[in-house]
Amino acid sequence: MTAEYFMVLGLLGVAFFAVAGALLGYEKNISGFGVVVVATVTALGGGTLRDILLNKPVFWIATPEYLYSTYAAIVATILFVRYLPHVNNFYFLFVDAIGMGLFNIMGIEKALISGTGMLIAITMGVTTGIFGGLIRDVICRELPSVMRNEPYASACLIGGLVYAALFTLSIDYIWCILGSLFSTVFLRLGSLKWGWHLTIFRKKDFKNQSD
C-alpha cells in the first residue's frame, strides 16, 4: 500500500504544481512554449533535486507516468484558461499550496525509504516542496515566495513535524499523510487570508532614539 500511496501522491503533486506553473505563466502573459517550460520546471524541479541529493534515479525518468501527469495537467490548464479566461489569483494560490503539501510528503517519504533519519527526511520534504516554486518564481521574475515573510517553507516544516509526530505515535499511514497535508495547506492559505507573518529580525529605528 505504501508504494501505491506514494505513486498517487506523486502524480497528484506534479499535476497540481504543473497547474500552478501554467497559471503563473498566464498571469505573466507568457505565451507559447514558455508556459509549458515554466509549468514543467515547477512540477519536476523539486523532485529532481530531491533524487539527486538522495543519489536515486530521477523520478520522472524512472517512471514516465509523472511526465504524462505533468503534460496532461498543463493541457487541461491551458484549455481551462482559454475558454474560461476570468481566472483570479485564488486558483494559483490554492493549487500551489496543495502541490507544495504533496511534494513535502513525497520528500519525507522518499528520504525515509532511502534510510535517512527523520530530521533529514523533514529537511528533504521542505526542499522538495519549495524548490520547484522557487525556480518558477525566478524564471517569471517574481520575488520568490520562500523569500517573503509569510509562511511558505515554514508551512512545509510544520507539515513535516506533524508527519513526524504522527509517525512516531504509530498512527495509521493515511493519517500521517492527511495530517501533514492539512497542516501545510492550512498554514499557507491561512497566512494569505489572515495576514500571518514570520519576522525573525526586527530593525531598530535609530532615528527615534535619543542621543
Side-chain angles (χ1 to χ4, degrees), residues 193-206:
K193 179 174 178 58
W194 293 297
W196 299 338
H197 297 288
L198 291 175
T199 303
I200 298 177
F201 300 110
R202 295 185 180 276
K203 294 183 179 180
K204 295 182 179 180
D205 188 358
F206 293 101

Side-chain angles (χ1 to χ4, degrees), residues 4-195:
E4 294 176 4
Y5 277 127
F6 188 83
M7 185 69 178
V8 171
L9 288 175
L11 293 174
L12 289 174
V14 296
F16 275 102
F17 259 161
V19 172
L23 288 177
L24 186 60
Y26 165 74
E27 183 180 333
K28 293 296 180 179
N29 293 319
I30 298 174
S31 60
F33 193 69
V35 172
V36 178
V37 172
V38 172
T40 303
V41 168
T42 306
L44 305 179
T48 300
L49 177 63
R50 173 202 65 210
D51 291 341
I52 291 173
L53 292 175
L54 292 173
N55 196 27
K56 297 292 182 180
V58 177
F59 73 110
W60 54 270
I61 297 177
T63 310
E65 285 81 2
Y66 290 111
L67 282 179
Y68 302 151
S69 179
T70 298
Y71 295 143
I74 294 172
V75 171
T77 305
I78 292 172
L79 293 175
F80 176 79
V81 171
R82 186 177 182 87
Y83 293 103
L84 294 172
H86 301 293
V87 179
N88 58 46
N89 198 41
F90 171 78
Y91 292 101
F92 166 73
L93 297 174
F94 181 72
V95 296
D96 184 60
I98 295 179
M100 183 176 66
L102 291 171
F103 262 43
N104 185 34
I105 297 168
M106 284 185 65
I108 295 171
E109 285 287 320
K110 196 151 191 179
L112 291 176
I113 292 171
S114 300
T116 72
M118 185 58 77
L119 180 60
I120 294 176
I122 292 173
T123 304
M124 195 62 65
V126 175
T127 302
T128 308
I130 69 173
F131 192 71
L134 175 62
I135 300 176
R136 174 199 65 210
D137 292 343
V138 170
I139 292 175
C140 294
R141 297 184 180 181
E142 281 277 297
L143 176 65
S145 299
V146 70
M147 301 299 179
R148 301 170 187 168
N149 64 347
E150 60 198 28
Y152 193 78
S154 54
C156 280
L157 176 60
I158 297 300
L161 292 174
V162 169
Y163 183 99
L166 295 175
F167 183 85
T168 302
L169 294 173
S170 299
I171 303 298
D172 286 344
Y173 180 69
I174 186 63
W175 294 110
C176 295
I177 294 175
L178 293 177
S180 176
L181 180 62
F182 175 81
S183 301
T184 304
V185 174
F186 176 77
L187 286 173
R188 176 60 182 152
L189 296 181
S191 69
L192 298 170
K193 179 174 178 58
W194 293 297

